[in-house]
C-alpha cells in the first residue's frame, strides 16, 4: 500500500491496534495515525506533543488505553473522541491489560501500578525483594496470566508475586523473602506458564524449577463409609449405563446406584 509505505518513511511507530476496519499506529509527538482499510485513507489524533504513544489496547465501553514513554497515560473514548489523562509521577516502561481490563504499568522506580477502569483509580504496589545475594543486572518486568486464572507479576528488580483478585494486592508466591522455609528466590531471571498451568522459573538460586498446580483427578467411592473392611466395600462388579449412571455390585449382595455426578442414589439388596 503506497499510503502506508509513505507514512512509515516519514514517521516512526511504537505501537499498533486493529479495530474493525481501522488500524491505529502510535507515533511520536503524541500522534495516533488511523488507517481505514476499506476506504484506504488516513486520519490522525493528537494527544500530547511531548510524548511517544508506546502502547494501545482496548478496554471496555468504547475506550482504549494510550500509554506514553513518560509518566502520563490516557483513556480515549473513540465514540466521544475524548481523551482523559492520568499522571503516574513515574516514567512508564511497559504496559499490560489483564483479563478484567485492569491496566498494569512497569514503572521507573521498583514497583508496579494498576489502573482500575471501574473506579478510575490507580493503585501502586511495592513488594519485598531478597538482598542476601549478589547479582548482576536487575531482573526485568514480567507479567503473565495462566490457564488457572493466576496473574503472575514480577516488578523490575525482582519480587515475584501473584495478584490477589479478591483483595486487590500483590502477594509473594509460596514463601516470603528471608523466611526460614524459603524454597527459592523471588527474583526470577525469567518465568513462563505452560498450557497445563505449570509454572517454570529460573531464579537467582540457579537452575530451572517447575511448580505444578495439580487438582486430584481421583474420586474414592465407599458404599459403606463406617467400615473400611466391610463386605459391602468389597466391589465385585461395575457397570455404567447409557445415561452414565454407575451400578456397583458388592460381595455383600447389594447393588449401589450412583448418578453421573457420583452422587449415591440408593441400592438394591438381594
Amino acid at each position: 500500500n503506497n499510503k502506508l509505505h509513505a507514512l512509515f518513511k516519514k514517521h516512526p511507530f511504537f505501537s499498533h491496534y486493529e479495530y474493525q476496519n481501522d488500524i491505529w499506529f502510535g507515533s511520536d509527538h503524541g500522534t495516533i495515525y488511523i488507517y481505514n482499510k476499506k476506504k484506504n485513507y488516513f486520519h490522525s489524533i493528537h494527544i500530547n506533543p511531548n510524548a511517544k504513544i508506546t502502547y494501545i489496547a482496548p478496554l471496555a465501553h468504547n475506550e482504549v488505553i494510550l500509554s506514553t514513554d513518560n509518566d502520563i497515560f490516557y483513556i480515549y473514548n473513540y465514540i466521544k473522541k475524548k481523551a482523559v489523562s492520568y499522571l503516574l509521577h513515574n516514567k512508564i516502561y511497559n504496559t499490560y491489560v489483564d483479563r478484567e481490563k485492569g491496566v498494569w504499568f512497569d514503572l521507573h522506580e521498583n514497583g508496579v501500578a494498576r489502573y482500575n477502569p471501574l473506579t478510575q483509580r490507580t493503585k501502586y504496589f511495592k513488594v519485598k525483594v531478597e538482598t542476601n545475594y549478589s547479582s548482576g543486572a536487575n531482573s526485568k518486568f514480567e507479567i503473565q496470566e495462566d490457564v488457572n486464572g493466576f496473574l503472575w507479576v514480577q516488578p523490575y528488580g525482582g519480587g515475584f508475586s501473584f495478584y490477589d483478585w479478591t483483595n486487590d494486592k500483590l502477594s509473594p508466591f509460596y514463601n516470603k523473602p528471608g523466611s526460614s522455609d524459603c524454597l527459592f528466590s523471588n527474583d526470577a531471571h525469567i518465568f513462563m506458564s505452560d498450557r497445563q498451568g505449570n509454572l517454570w522459573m529460573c531464579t537467582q538460586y540457579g537452575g530451572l524449577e517447575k511448580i505444578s498446580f495439580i487438582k486430584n483427578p481421583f474420586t474414592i467411592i465407599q458404599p459403606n463409609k463406617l467400615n473400611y473392611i466391610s463386605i459391602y466395600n468389597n466391589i465385585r462388579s461395575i457397570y455404567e449405563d447409557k445415561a452414565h449412571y454407575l451400578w456397583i455390585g458388592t460381595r455383600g449382595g447389594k447393588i449401589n446406584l450412583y448418578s453421573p455426578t457420583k452422587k449415591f442414589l440408593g441400592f438394591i439388596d438381594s
Side-chain angles (χ1 to χ4, degrees):
N1 186 294
N2 292 332
K3 287 188 177 182
L4 282 176
H5 181 70
L7 189 67
F8 290 158
K9 288 184 67 175
K10 289 182 179 180
H11 304 280
F13 292 95
F14 309 100
S15 55
H16 77 279
Y17 161 59
E18 189 166 356
Y19 172 71
Q20 295 181 354
N21 291 317
D22 292 334
I23 306 177
W24 298 38
F25 297 98
S27 186
D28 54 3
H29 305 298
T31 304
I32 301 166
Y33 296 94
I34 302 176
Y35 173 68
N36 187 283
K37 296 180 289 183
K38 192 173 183 180
K39 297 180 180 179
N40 191 27
Y41 84 97
F42 276 100
H43 70 279
S44 59
I45 300 172
H46 301 278
I47 301 295
N48 183 339
N50 300 314
K52 300 173 182 176
I53 305 299
T54 56
Y55 185 87
I56 308 172
L59 299 179
H61 309 299
N62 304 315
E63 294 179 336
V64 294
I65 168 72
L66 307 175
S67 191
T68 71
D69 64 335
N70 53 39
D71 59 354
I72 302 176
F73 70 94
Y74 298 85
I75 304 298
Y76 182 79
N77 188 304
Y78 48 78
I79 301 298
K80 298 179 180 178
K81 302 186 184 304
K82 180 181 177 181
V84 179
S85 63
Y86 295 85
L87 184 63
L88 290 174
H89 301 288
N90 212 319
K91 184 178 174 64
I92 302 169
Y93 283 147
N94 293 286
T95 310
Y96 174 83
V97 177
D98 63 37
R99 69 169 190 260
E100 298 296 330
K101 301 302 181 183
V103 186
W104 292 84
F105 299 99
D106 169 30
L107 303 176
H108 172 65
E109 296 181 357
N110 288 0
V112 294
R114 182 180 188 265
Y115 168 76
N116 186 328
L118 297 178
T119 62
Q120 298 182 346
R121 294 181 178 274
T122 302
K123 184 173 181 178
Y124 295 83
F125 300 94
K126 284 280 189 178
V127 292
K128 186 176 180 181
V129 184
E130 289 176 303
T131 57
N132 59 347
Y133 58 81
S134 175
S135 62
N138 284 330
S139 299
K140 64 179 182 178
F141 167 79
E142 292 276 354
I143 184 167
Q144 290 184 26
E145 293 177 81
D146 67 17
V147 296
N148 297 315
F150 290 112
L151 175 63
W152 305 104
V153 182
Q154 172 162 278
Y156 173 77
F160 184 74
S161 308
F162 69 92
Y163 179 61
D164 185 335
W165 296 95
T166 302
N167 298 305
D168 187 25
K169 67 177 184 178
L170 283 182
S171 299
F173 173 58
Y174 195 82
N175 41 227
K176 293 182 179 180
S179 63
S180 58
D181 61 346
C182 181
L183 296 182
F184 45 77
S185 168
N186 79 333
D187 191 353
H189 292 299
I190 194 169
F191 70 91
M192 66 157 285
S193 179
D194 62 26
R195 294 180 180 179
Q196 295 178 322
N198 300 308
L199 184 64
W200 298 80
M201 298 178 65
C202 177
T203 71
Q204 295 286 1
Y205 286 2
L208 182 65
E209 291 150 317
K210 176 186 177 183
I211 300 97
S212 298
F213 306 89
I214 302 175
K215 295 180 180 179
N216 189 350
F218 299 101
T219 301
I220 299 176
I221 297 176
Q222 294 178 325
N224 187 344
K225 298 182 182 298
L226 301 179
N227 187 348
Y228 293 108
I229 60 174
S230 167
I231 57 174
Y232 295 105
N233 279 333
N234 194 327
I235 309 302
R236 294 301 176 90
S237 62
I238 302 176
Y239 174 74
E240 185 181 38
D241 61 25
K242 292 182 179 180
H244 301 292
Y245 285 84
L246 199 62
W247 302 80
I248 299 177
T250 68
R251 181 186 173 191
K254 285 186 178 181
I255 299 176
N256 298 276
L257 178 61
Y258 291 84
S259 74
T261 60
K262 306 302 182 289
K263 180 181 179 181
F264 177 68
L265 299 178
F267 66 88
I268 302 172
D269 196 342
S270 61

